[in-house]
Amino acid sequence: MKLPTDPSTDNNVVIGIENASVKYFVPRERVGTFKEYAIRKIQRRIINDAFWALSDISFEVKKGEIFGLIGANGAGKSTLLKLVARVLRPSEGRVWVRGRVAPLLAMGAGFHMELSGRENVFLNGTLLGYSQKQILERFDAIVEFAELQDFIDAPMRTYSSGMVARLGFSVATDQMPDVLIVDEALSVGDTAFQKKSIDRIREFQKNGATTLYVTHSMGEIEKTCDRAAWLDHGHLRFVGGPKEAVDLYLDRKPAAA
Amino acid sequence: MTKDTSVPFYDSAKQSTAWLDELQQTLRYKDLILHLVKRDVTSRYKRSILGVAWTMLNPLGMMIILTVIFSQLFGAVEGYAAYILSGLVMWNFFAQSTVSGINSVVWGGDLFRKIYFPRSIFAISAIGTGIVNLLISMVPFIAVSIFIGKLPTINFILVVIPILLLSMFTLGLTLIIASLGVRFPDIVEMYNNILLTAWMYLTPIIYPMDVLPAWVASLMKFNPMFHLLKLFRDPIYYGEPLYPQLLGICTFISVVTLVLGWIIFSRMTDEIAYRS
């Protein structure tokens, strides 16, 4: 259903996916050299198998919604998240996002174990698109949330994996984003920190952040999501209430697998 | 928890001119360049005891070996050790920056798969790291020059201009080869293993120009690194100012290469995401 006006001008719609498709080319034979490529191109022997990771997906996510994505492995959930996080541009169709996206899937991206926690906060923060100045202003709060005040100048290789994850989460969620991308269950640090991180996400949601939530736990989807979409082999099978989506997905699962 | 008042709007359909888009994003992420350079420089030195000294010892060691071997052959060159060292320092910068820049763009997949940032940042930061190393290796160059009695002149400081032009040329070439390498990985191997070595011997780094037969010397003008090396050596080795004609040639080469590389690369960035 198309609205008469362009939905991207409607402030209540935060994410718009319009007939988006993602096509990967899987070469049938490896063509590694330029010479080989040129010869084959002339002979028209370049054969690529097109693999549609997503085909013709359309839906919208409204402001403040917790939107679940379900589907078997390889259904295209991660590819869809990449479109929203602008890691990939759709091969066809259009994707638009209003506001800043915090991709929790990129938590701790670029962390380097030889560097200190302090250096890594700046490296990771600038990678997430913050300026040096913004990080400087927020530095103490970031470290405090991660509870790493005493270790921040030690090399990261001395950290436990929980400490690394805490710091990653703290940097990624310091500023409230407009869109949160949460991939799988958030298992960051020990139970106490897990509660703290979930509380922070809840607070974002209360303040109007939109969440895209991917998990294999159907109970989670039914419990937390306002709406959900079911993806199956790159096709959008259903968008609507989370309960219906889960029911449909579970019934059809044997056929899809 | 503060929030920016301006709400960014990303639209995959609204692709303005690719090169301009990439440029705007790169400027937005400029602080990232600084931290990537810092990471590369510090992580390299934290691992070894001699640390930063390796950057100086590497060209110095090569210089000693080459001087011992070739000083009989090219003995006529005044201050041969400084001649070699100036060439090596410059070549090392060029070779190391291109190789690491190309590799991080072509094989740097993990980050590319997870998060958006302008892809050219990796190439730029490789050049940045190269510049830091180049400046560090100027220290042994000055030491050797003084040791052999070739005192630097006031023109020495002009070296920043050739370094700037060389960096532009290096970035442009990195972007071109990385763009091709995303599609044809063999081109990267060919560059690393064959082209770079051949190019080094085709550039007067360890030998003086006048040992070349006339016909070879006349072909030298088609080698961009020949001009850039001459421009680099003029202030630091010959102690001379920058000559306008050579400066013009080098500026032309560098600007054209960079613009070309930037345009090609920004058209390829979507494909990089698909292939990494």
Side-chain angles (χ1 to χ4, degrees):
Chain A
M1 232 180 4
K2 270 258 155 148
L3 296 169
T5 51
D6 187 353
S8 64
T9 56
D10 179 356
N11 274 319
N12 282 319
V13 183
V14 176
I15 302 170
I17 318 268
E18 296 170 11
N19 307 102
S21 297
V22 170
K23 181 167 65 174
Y24 288 110
F25 280 111
V26 186
R28 197 168 286 173
E29 292 166 279
R30 217 187 96 86
V31 181
T33 65
F34 185 74
K35 185 182 151 203
E36 216 178 314
Y37 182 84
I39 292 170
R40 285 174 188 233
K41 189 86 184 170
I42 293 163
Q43 298 173 333
R44 300 190 183 285
R45 282 206 297 128
I46 291 282
I47 309 160
N48 283 317
D49 289 328
F51 169 69
W52 293 87
L54 288 176
S55 43
D56 202 19
I57 307 280
S58 299
F59 65 88
E60 284 165 9
V61 181
K62 294 194 184 62
K63 191 168 166 57
E65 258 187 329
I66 303 177
F67 192 93
L69 283 176
I70 54 178
N73 285 334
K77 302 186 297 289
S78 301
T79 307
L80 190 56
L81 293 187
K82 282 183 192 175
L83 289 182
V84 175
R86 74 174 290 190
V87 171
L88 278 185
R89 197 184 287 277
S91 325
E92 283 164 29
R94 180 183 180 207
V95 173
W96 51 266
V97 181
R98 188 189 312 284
R100 206 175 63 78
V101 178
L104 291 192
L105 58 158
M107 231 165 40
F111 272 170
H112 194 289
M113 293 300 138
E114 288 293 326
L115 303 181
S116 69
R118 180 185 301 274
E119 290 165 318
N120 273 308
V121 168
F122 282 97
L123 183 59
N124 182 235
T126 47
L127 203 52
L128 291 169
Y130 298 121
S131 68
Q132 171 87 3
K133 193 167 147 276
Q134 279 172 311
I135 303 167
L136 263 176
E137 282 166 9
R138 299 293 307 161
F139 187 78
D140 292 337
I142 292 171
V143 177
E144 201 189 308
F145 188 86
E147 298 162 23
L148 288 169
Q149 294 93 325
D150 299 336
F151 308 97
I152 199 65
D153 287 307
M156 202 167 236
R157 64 185 145 77
T158 63
Y159 285 23
S160 71
S161 56
M163 288 158 85
V164 173
R166 262 150 55 194
L167 195 59
F169 181 86
S170 184
V171 179
T173 60
D174 177 64
Q175 309 252 320
M176 174 173 148
D178 299 288
V179 178
L180 261 170
I181 295 182
V182 183
D183 199 356
E184 296 302 335
L186 260 178
S187 49
V188 178
D190 52 21
T191 335
F193 194 80
Q194 259 178 48
K195 190 186 170 312
K196 200 170 154 184
S197 53
I198 290 171
D199 284 348
R200 180 176 260 195
I201 289 180
R202 295 263 185 279
E203 197 194 315
F204 285 162
Q205 287 162 345
K206 227 173 14 199
N207 291 328
T210 310
T211 310
L212 269 186
Y213 188 32
V214 176
T215 178
H216 285 291
S217 155
M218 293 304 133
E220 251 333 88
I221 293 279
E222 291 184 29
K223 208 170 66 195
T224 54
C225 293
D226 299 313
R227 285 199 303 150
W230 168 32
L231 283 173
D232 180 32
H233 289 96
H235 295 273
L236 184 66
R237 288 295 180 86
F238 177 80
V239 186
K243 186 128 186 52
E244 278 175 272
V246 169
D247 287 345
L248 279 167
Y249 168 56
L250 291 180
D251 285 344
R252 295 284 200 82
K253 202 177 179 185
Chain B
M1 254 158 269
T2 50
K3 228 181 101 210
D4 288 312
T5 41
S6 64
V7 179
F9 186 79
Y10 161 63
D11 188 343
S12 71
K14 240 185 234 119
Q15 198 178 6
S16 60
T17 336
W19 68 269
L20 189 66
D21 203 42
E22 186 76 10
L23 188 63
Q24 282 167 342
Q25 291 298 334
T26 304
L27 290 175
R28 213 168 77 76
Y29 278 77
K30 60 182 184 312
D31 291 345
L32 175 58
I33 300 173
L34 182 83
H35 287 287
L36 284 172
V37 170
K38 239 170 114 179
R39 176 197 69 179
D40 290 343
V41 174
T42 49
S43 67
R44 178 176 170 192
Y45 298 138
K46 273 179 183 168
R47 274 200 296 268
S48 64
I49 301 163
L50 283 177
V52 74
W54 283 117
T55 308
M56 306 190 211
L57 288 173
N58 175 312
L60 219 47
M62 280 296 284
M63 178 208 75
I64 292 168
I65 296 165
L66 293 170
T67 311
V68 168
I69 297 171
F70 291 115
S71 57
Q72 290 302 312
L73 208 52
F74 308 131
V77 182
E78 186 210 342
Y80 182 58
Y83 181 85
I84 295 182
L85 196 52
S86 57
L88 282 177
V89 158
M90 186 250 197
W91 186 265
N92 281 353
F93 161 73
F94 170 72
Q96 285 167 6
S97 306
T98 49
V99 168
S100 80
I102 291 164
N103 285 342
S104 60
V105 171
V106 176
W107 311 116
D110 189 43
L111 273 180
F112 290 171
R113 266 194 297 273
K114 278 182 176 167
I115 187 172
Y116 169 79
F117 57 94
R119 307 317 190 197
S120 56
I121 290 275
F122 268 11
I124 297 170
S125 72
I127 313 281
T129 307
I131 292 176
V132 172
N133 289 335
L134 175 63
L135 295 178
I136 293 170
S137 52
M138 290 311 264
V139 174
F141 175 77
I142 295 171
V144 167
S145 299
I146 294 172
F147 182 75
I148 61 173
K150 258 181 89 62
L151 295 178
T153 67
I154 186 74
N155 289 324
F156 193 95
I157 46 168
L158 292 172
V159 75
V160 293
I161 294 168
I163 290 177
L164 181 76
L165 292 176
L166 179 64
S167 302
M168 288 164 62
F169 175 74
T170 307
L171 178 60
L173 191 75
T174 302
L175 294 175
I176 292 171
I177 296 179
S179 307
L180 295 172
V182 168
R183 231 177 251 187
F184 313 105
D186 290 29
I187 286 187
V188 179
E189 296 302 324
M190 203 159 76
Y191 177 79
N192 289 351
N193 298 316
I194 301 170
L195 196 68
L196 209 47
T197 314
W199 200 349
M200 178 174 166
Y201 288 107
L202 291 172
T203 308
I205 293 165
I206 53 175
Y207 54 83
M209 268 304 279
D210 47 27
V211 302
L212 294 178
W215 68 273
V216 179
S218 68
L219 289 175
M220 203 50 101
K221 61 175 173 289
F222 297 109
N223 177 359
M225 285 303 277
F226 162 72
H227 301 287
L228 285 160
L229 178 58
K230 177 83 172 58
L231 192 74
F232 182 76
R233 267 184 182 144
D234 273 348
I236 66 166
Y237 170 75
Y238 296 105
E240 288 180 34
L242 304 176
Y243 294 105
Q245 197 199 353
L246 184 62
L247 190 62
I249 294 171
C250 290
T251 309
F252 177 78
I253 292 170
S254 304
V255 170
V256 168
T257 311
L258 180 57
V259 169
L260 199 68
W262 193 271
I263 291 172
I264 295 173
F265 186 78
S266 35
R267 284 168 176 275
M268 289 293 291
T269 49
D270 286 346
E271 193 162 330
I272 294 174
Y274 272 82
R275 284 176 191 258
S276 54

